[in-house]
Amino acid sequence: MIEGINRAQADRAAAQAELMAVGEPAGLGEAEVYAMIDSLGNVSAALADGQPGRLAQLYRDLRLDLRFDHEKEAVDVTASPRVNNACVRGRSCSLSTRLKLPS
């Protein structure tokens, strides 16, 4: 029984050490955010003209995902734009928000 406890404590200590070695994930820098935006092209023009083809392409580029929560009467929105830029190595980042619908 004591051997099992000792083994579990050793496993826990090893897992904690591994987590400490990994550290915090790096956040996006200002240049990476601007690169993501720039890679989408003229977003305001796509939204302003309202052409279904341009909007569909923008939504694909944003990897836009909308999920309606009926009980909360809200839409969860996630965008995961992918940057095609050598400077940021094609990094992707998901951005999420919740839109509360009027009653």
Side-chain angles (χ1 to χ4, degrees):
M1 179 175 204
I2 293 176
E3 290 176 17
I5 293 172
N6 289 339
R7 189 171 34 252
Q9 287 176 338
D11 290 345
R12 181 177 184 210
Q16 286 176 331
E18 188 175 331
L19 286 173
M20 294 299 287
V22 171
E24 290 291 319
L28 292 175
E30 185 175 340
E32 291 173 309
V33 172
Y34 279 111
M36 286 175 133
I37 295 167
D38 289 343
S39 73
L40 295 172
N42 192 342
V43 174
S44 62
L47 293 172
D49 70 21
Q51 292 180 2
R54 287 186 76 182
L55 289 173
Q57 183 60 48
L58 175 63
Y59 297 159
R60 278 192 299 275
D61 291 344
L62 284 170
R63 295 183 188 172
L64 199 61
D65 180 44
L66 305 171
R67 298 192 186 242
F68 179 67
D69 185 332
H70 180 72
E71 290 179 6
K72 296 179 182 175
E73 294 184 353
V75 177
D76 291 320
V77 181
T78 302
S80 302
R82 178 133 179 103
V83 177
N84 295 318
N85 185 317
C87 296
V88 293
R89 294 181 208 91
R91 184 176 190 170
S92 65
C93 177
S94 294
L95 310 168
S96 298
T97 190
R98 173 168 282 192
L99 173 66
K100 180 73 172 158
L101 300 176
S103 301

